[in-house]
Amino acid sequence: MKKKVLGVLLAATMAVGMLAGCGGGNATEAPADDAAPAEEAPADEAEAPADDAAGDVISIGFAQVGHESDWRTASTKSCQDVFSAENGYDLSFVDCDNDSAAQLEAVRNFIQQDVDYIIIDPIVSTGWDTVLTECEDAGIPVIVIDRTIDDSDKYAAWVGSNFKTEGLAAGEWLKAYAEKQGISEINALVISGTTGASAQIGRSEGFQEIADREGWNILDEQTGDFTEDGGQAVMESYCKSYAGKFNVVVCQNDNEAFGAMTAMDNAGVTYGLDGDVILISFDACTAGLEKVKARQFSADFECNPLAAPFVEEVIQTLQSGGTPDKEVYMEEHWFALPDAIVDFSIDGAAQTMTEVTDDVIAAQY
Ligand code: GYE
């Protein structure tokens, strides 16, 4: 591949976000001012290099966050399914085990290997500009997936979710549900995700914004690192420190919520639609939706991990000399049982909730 030509093309790449999904859900689109105007690359630079003939194997390095959750397993599987040898790809997959230094090293190894494309799911949102400059200098396009990079724009495209919107959805849902239940005082405990991950930052900011507006009491927020063990450990300490003082628990992913359930079971705290504590989760993977169906999670706010097909579209656009959208947003759903399906809006946009049924669970990842 003639990487210099592609490098020039990428320098000219700035496009508005599009929405990835198949209808029926809620668009977690960014505010309009996040989107830069589309700008076409000059036609002579947009020619596909001659040696990119159809049938060539495309080599990809993927620096994945780790294996901390059901969501992560689904994300990894999605990438491995799409970027398979049968589909014409040579995928080097590195599980970075939630270690930011290991992730930077993985990216540098991909540069050494001279892969055609690098996919990064950034564990944390900062500390990226130097290594992305190295990728750019090597002429290797980077595609960011899932979590965002907030201190550099030296990548071709990002495909993922609007995490702040997810946090706003949880907050607006809680307001409407608490009103329906006649609950006037909210005392919430938050078990957050990996500190500094954009998924953590966005969900915390979104929920906090509604809590501030409504005057809710957030008693504590500690990280469970997006793991079941982490969620259980934090909830065990919460059950001791805040016994009898909380009526809402917000877990920033399903696995943390599974751990929190174990801790509350052990402490004799009841939760879910028939319990004393409203339990809110994010991700809505299959096992999470089963907890909604069992009335144990009060509501679950989806984060869609099946981004790989949209990443492939980005790569195919680059392969043919085109300009991909700079931001591609996944479509998400907000899940509950009928008892907890309430009307709410986010910034004036009415939201649709999805009832969890056996069919919905069977169709989920
Ligand atoms: O919510 C969590 C995973 O980055 C959106 O990471 C992702 C988060 C997801 O560990 O389960």
Side-chain angles (χ1 to χ4, degrees):
M1 176 183 292
K2 287 179 191 156
K3 285 175 177 161
K4 273 197 190 125
V5 175
L6 199 45
V8 173
L9 172 64
L10 287 174
T13 299
M14 287 175 74
V16 291
M18 59 164 277
L19 177 69
C22 51
N26 295 290
T28 56
E29 268 182 294
D33 57 3
D34 274 5
E39 195 178 295
E40 289 301 322
D44 57 343
E45 287 167 1
E47 291 288 309
D51 57 349
D52 274 350
D56 277 5
V57 170
I58 297 172
S59 59
I60 297 178
F62 176 23
Q64 173 63 295
V65 168
H67 51 274
E68 70 284 358
S69 64
D70 288 20
W71 191 99
R72 190 64 52 201
T73 304
S75 158
T76 294
K77 183 173 184 307
S78 170
C79 280
Q80 288 173 337
D81 287 351
V82 169
F83 300 115
S84 63
E86 303 81 72
N87 291 345
Y89 297 98
D90 175 14
L91 178 66
S92 301
F93 175 83
V94 176
D95 175 335
C96 300
D97 201 15
N98 216 26
D99 177 341
S100 294
Q103 192 166 43
L104 292 176
E105 193 186 322
V107 173
R108 292 196 164 105
N109 285 338
F110 294 148
I111 296 173
Q112 289 302 312
Q113 286 173 42
D114 197 25
V115 296
D116 293 327
Y117 296 92
I118 295 175
I119 303 175
I120 302 172
D121 189 330
I123 296 168
V124 292
S125 62
T126 55
W128 285 102
D129 199 53
T130 304
V131 77
L132 291 192
T133 304
E134 291 167 27
C135 294
E136 191 175 71
D137 290 347
I140 303 176
V142 170
I143 297 137
V144 182
I145 187 172
D146 169 31
R147 301 181 186 174
T148 55
I149 284 177
D150 297 337
D151 62 354
S152 178
D153 64 356
K154 294 186 180 112
Y155 53 87
W158 163 84
V159 182
S161 303
N162 189 325
F163 305 114
K164 181 166 180 194
T165 300
E166 294 171 4
L168 289 170
E172 295 288 15
W173 171 83
L174 177 59
K175 175 185 183 300
Y177 180 64
E179 262 168 31
K180 183 186 172 210
Q181 299 296 103
I183 297 168
S184 55
E185 194 179 315
I186 299 289
N187 291 300
L189 288 166
V190 177
I191 303 179
S192 55
T194 299
T195 306
S198 70
Q200 175 272 314
I201 296 168
R203 288 171 189 164
S204 292
E205 276 180 8
F207 188 77
Q208 183 76 48
E209 190 172 306
I210 307 305
D212 289 346
R213 189 191 71 199
E214 298 300 320
W216 295 339
N217 194 8
I218 296 189
L219 298 166
D220 210 339
E221 173 161 348
Q222 287 176 31
T223 182
D225 237 348
F226 283 132
T227 64
E228 180 162 350
D229 285 355
Q232 184 173 340
V234 172
M235 196 66 228
E236 276 166 2
S237 96
Y238 282 169
C239 283
K240 288 186 192 128
S241 311
Y242 302 100
K245 295 185 179 141
F246 59 95
N247 60 355
V248 174
V249 171
V250 181
C251 297
Q252 287 185 351
N253 80 346
D254 287 342
N255 296 81
E256 289 181 340
F258 304 151
M261 284 170 54
T262 305
M264 286 193 278
D265 286 343
N266 292 340
V269 176
T270 62
Y271 50 84
L273 296 185
D274 308 309
D276 292 335
V277 171
I278 297 170
L279 179 56
I280 296 173
S281 183
F282 294 87
D283 279 358
C285 291
T286 305
L289 291 187
E290 283 167 352
K291 303 298 183 206
V292 176
K293 183 87 197 314
R295 306 178 67 81
Q296 292 170 308
F297 287 5
S298 307
D300 205 350
F301 296 84
E302 187 184 34
C303 184
N304 187 338
L306 307 183
F310 305 101
V311 175
E312 185 180 37
E313 275 178 30
V314 169
I315 288 176
Q316 294 303 336
T317 300
L318 292 169
Q319 281 294 107
S320 59
T323 303
D325 289 329
K326 182 90 180 185
E327 296 178 342
V328 179
Y329 284 88
M330 302 297 292
E331 185 182 286
E332 339 264 11
H333 299 77
W334 319 135
F335 291 102
L337 286 180
D339 287 357
I341 290 186
V342 287
D343 290 333
F344 67 92
S345 305
I346 299 174
D347 293 332
Q351 303 294 300
T352 306
M353 293 192 76
T354 303
E355 178 185 345
V356 176
T357 62
D358 290 334
D359 287 348
V360 165
I361 294 173
Q364 196 71 332
Y365 27 81

